[in-house]
Amino acid sequence: MVTATATTARLLLVLAVAAVYLHAAAALRSLGVREGAGAGASAGGAAGSGDAAIDLNTTNFDAFLKASPESFAVVEFFAHWCPACRNYKPQYEKVAKLFNGPDAAHPGIIVMTRVDCAEKETSQMNMDLCSRFSVSHYPFLLWGPPTKFVSAQWKPKQENSEIELIEEARTAERLLKWINKKMGRQVSCLSFSLDDKKYENESMLPKNASDPEQIVRAIYDVEEATAHALQIILEHKMIKPETRDTLIRFLQILVAHHPSKRCRRGSADLLINFDDHWPTNLSLSSQESSRLLESVTADNHQICGKEVPRGYWMFCRGSRSETRGFSCGLWVLMHSLTVRVGDGESQMTFTSICDFIHNFFICEECRKHFYEMCSSVSVPFKSTRDLALWLWSTHNKVNDRLMKEEKELGTGDPSFPKAVWPPKQLCPSCYRAAAGAVQVDWDEDEVFQFLVNYYGKMLVSSYKDSYMESLLQEKKQLGSISDESSASSAATVPIGAALGVAVASCTFGALACFWRTQQKNRKYYHLRSLKKI
């Protein structure tokens, strides 16, 4: 018994240290906070009101650019005391507002940033950063893929460098002309204008019907949809005694199989503190519910990190503000879950997804239609393949229904009309032969392989390392740990990481219950010890 207890304690300590490592990594990524980027954006400090460009410094420069989803970055190096820099700022801001923030005409393509080389609090360190990039005058603008700036150096006339000096950029018009010329080489017929407005530039929308690589960008929309879903649940006070178990089961799936590591971690943290925020005997007044919502927010339970939701969409962006967006992101999330679960988890995942939509999707008609299709399933799922193909077929049925309705009412997105999916451009091998305009003879084996590649391998390419991989690597570095030190540390373990590992590597329902019980016991004994003091 003692040996078992010591072994458990040792495991908990390993998980505790690993959790510190994971949260440290999360903190680094969170340095690039872009909440309300169009209203005074800063990744590490204060920014002028209304600024669109992201202020960076030596402490967050690498972390922010490493995590940036945009294809390209512009970095302006300047000094706040420089009159030319002050005069140039409005010009730079005009261009930054096209690309940065929720009101940007072209979000997710270019991130506009700046570094004050003479910033008072970090002057010397910022100067070292500016020296890394051979800043010889102010303002000094560089262009390149965000990740190429990370831990990098740049010198004039440096060969084989993807970072370039922007020389003709003294006005907003000249800077945008330079960007258009550069982007035109990357994507034909691509052109930006200072007069571009949000949702008015259909030619700039992602044409994901013919470019399978676009799905990689959907990882950010999946994060956005996950955060938005939780926000809706909290704002509409939808967690009740009869719905709390449904949310717990769905969170368990997210901890194990969400394509975003940030969302897996956030789901684990939220799940382990679930009973504190929503006790089993939940029966709250409206005022108490409001206080609870405030406490969840205050406790930093942003399910996918502090920078999410960002307020805009990338892969799921429509040509109108009311089209695509959240519903698109939620579909992508569900597809990604169905191809990531194991065969033995397929039925539980099916039930959890159906119950989640039934209880928490606030669009009444859509909710009813989806649950009717769930209820029509008579045989339990026994494989990932069957579950993934069911959701794919269900999605096509929904598209077919909406296609007819939107055509009749004129409410669809003209740039993204509902259609049979996937189209031939994405998966030619999925089609055996077309038997008419709508009905298709599908090769379901090819469809399943497509789903696995599209929503599995390609969607998570930016988040390859898993909880288990991170923890195993950390465990190797820890070496041996004594029973005594393990036991003394077990009471203070942050259990969120342990839950994540347990859920990700085992039958997550039973394990999650075990870890939640352990946490309750720890809190009980901790309170007893405080009373004795």
Side-chain angles (χ1 to χ4, degrees), residues 321-531:
S321 59
E322 69 273 13
T323 60
R324 305 189 82 221
F326 175 55
S327 60
C328 167
L330 196 58
W331 274 115
V332 176
L333 171 61
M334 291 192 296
H335 281 297
S336 71
L337 293 175
T338 62
V339 300
R340 290 167 62 86
V341 299
D343 289 341
E345 301 167 311
S346 55
Q347 179 60 28
M348 181 183 293
T349 302
F350 164 74
T351 304
S352 298
I353 288 176
C354 289
D355 288 345
F356 179 81
I357 296 298
H358 182 63
N359 285 286
F360 298 113
F361 195 65
I362 207 164
C363 175
E364 182 70 10
E365 183 178 357
C366 301
R367 180 184 66 81
K368 286 183 177 179
H369 278 284
F370 190 85
Y371 202 69
E372 285 173 4
M373 288 185 283
C374 288
S375 301
S376 68
V377 177
S378 57
V379 180
F381 291 100
K382 295 182 179 180
S383 69
T384 305
R385 179 184 185 276
D386 290 345
L387 176 61
L389 288 176
W390 174 83
L391 186 65
W392 160 74
S393 177
T394 298
H395 196 172
N396 266 338
K397 290 176 182 177
V398 171
N399 278 351
D400 184 55
R401 176 176 61 82
L402 293 178
M403 188 193 316
K404 297 172 183 176
E405 292 180 2
E406 291 176 355
K407 184 177 181 180
E408 182 180 347
L409 300 172
T411 55
D413 190 323
S415 295
F416 297 92
K418 296 291 187 298
V420 173
W421 196 91
K424 275 192 175 182
Q425 299 98 311
L426 276 180
C427 186
S429 61
C430 292
Y431 289 69
R432 284 199 181 101
V438 178
Q439 188 177 357
V440 177
D441 182 12
W442 296 101
D443 185 332
E444 292 192 346
D445 289 334
E446 289 294 327
V447 171
F448 177 60
Q449 288 305 314
F450 167 79
L451 295 173
V452 170
N453 289 326
Y454 195 72
Y455 290 113
K457 297 176 182 178
M458 295 178 68
L459 183 59
V460 298
S461 63
S462 297
Y463 291 84
K464 292 180 181 178
D465 49 336
S466 67
Y467 250 142
M468 284 299 293
E469 288 169 347
S470 299
L471 289 172
L472 288 173
Q473 182 180 3
E474 187 68 19
K475 184 178 179 181
K476 289 178 181 178
Q477 297 173 357
L478 288 173
S480 59
I481 304 172
S482 68
D483 289 350
E484 181 180 353
S485 63
S486 301
S488 64
S489 302
T492 58
V493 167
I495 207 69
L499 174 64
V501 177
V503 171
S505 58
C506 305
T507 305
F508 50 80
L511 263 297
C513 180
F514 167 75
W515 285 114
R516 282 161 56 76
T517 302
Q518 293 294 312
Q519 175 70 346
K520 289 178 184 177
N521 292 339
R522 286 189 181 84
K523 289 180 180 178
Y524 170 73
Y525 288 119
H526 179 63
L527 289 173
R528 283 189 59 184
S529 64
L530 289 177
K531 288 179 181 179

Side-chain angles (χ1 to χ4, degrees), residues 149-350:
F149 287 91
V150 178
S151 302
Q153 294 182 338
W154 180 84
K155 295 181 180 180
K157 299 180 181 180
Q158 181 176 331
E159 295 182 359
N160 301 321
S161 175
E162 293 186 53
I163 299 176
E164 296 182 46
L165 177 66
I166 304 176
E167 297 184 277
E168 293 296 325
R170 293 308 180 195
T171 64
E173 290 77 10
R174 287 186 179 184
L175 175 56
L176 197 58
K177 182 179 179 180
W178 191 96
I179 291 174
N180 278 330
K181 185 177 181 180
K182 175 60 63 176
M183 291 296 292
R185 295 172 187 167
Q186 304 288 335
V187 183
S188 60
C189 302
L190 186 62
S191 181
F192 306 113
S193 168
L194 291 174
D195 296 325
D196 288 347
K197 302 297 181 184
K198 188 177 182 182
Y199 301 117
E200 292 181 1
N201 312 286
E202 295 183 8
S203 63
M204 303 304 300
L205 294 168
K207 301 302 181 184
N208 45 33
S210 58
D211 183 4
E213 298 297 330
Q214 287 284 347
I215 191 64
V216 175
R217 299 162 66 84
I219 189 71
Y220 303 99
D221 289 347
V222 170
E223 291 178 340
E224 192 82 4
T226 305
H228 193 58
L230 180 63
Q231 192 174 41
I232 290 173
I233 290 170
L234 295 177
E235 289 177 350
H236 290 269
K237 304 175 180 63
M238 301 173 76
I239 305 176
K240 302 173 183 178
E242 63 271 22
T243 63
R244 68 189 303 278
D245 287 345
T246 293
L247 184 56
I248 287 172
R249 287 194 297 270
F250 191 72
L251 285 172
Q252 289 170 352
I253 295 174
L254 297 187
V255 172
H257 300 298
H258 199 291
S260 164
K261 186 168 63 177
R262 289 186 287 199
C263 297
R264 293 197 296 273
R265 182 186 299 110
S267 298
D269 290 340
L270 183 60
L271 187 58
I272 201 60
N273 291 291
F274 200 92
D275 289 339
D276 291 339
H277 296 296
W278 301 283
T280 308
N281 59 345
L282 185 66
S283 180
L284 302 175
S285 66
S286 177
Q287 186 176 6
E288 288 172 326
S289 295
S290 298
R291 285 200 298 267
L292 190 58
L293 175 59
E294 291 174 3
S295 73
V296 173
T297 304
D299 284 351
N300 234 0
H301 283 312
Q302 292 101 340
I303 194 168
C304 293
K306 290 192 294 183
E307 65 269 42
V308 182
R310 303 172 183 86
Y312 59 89
W313 306 92
M314 292 187 181
F315 175 84
C316 287
R317 183 185 182 212
S319 63
R320 300 173 180 172
S321 59
E322 69 273 13
T323 60
R324 305 189 82 221
F326 175 55
S327 60
C328 167
L330 196 58
W331 274 115
V332 176
L333 171 61
M334 291 192 296
H335 281 297
S336 71
L337 293 175
T338 62
V339 300
R340 290 167 62 86
V341 299
D343 289 341
E345 301 167 311
S346 55
Q347 179 60 28
M348 181 183 293
T349 302
F350 164 74

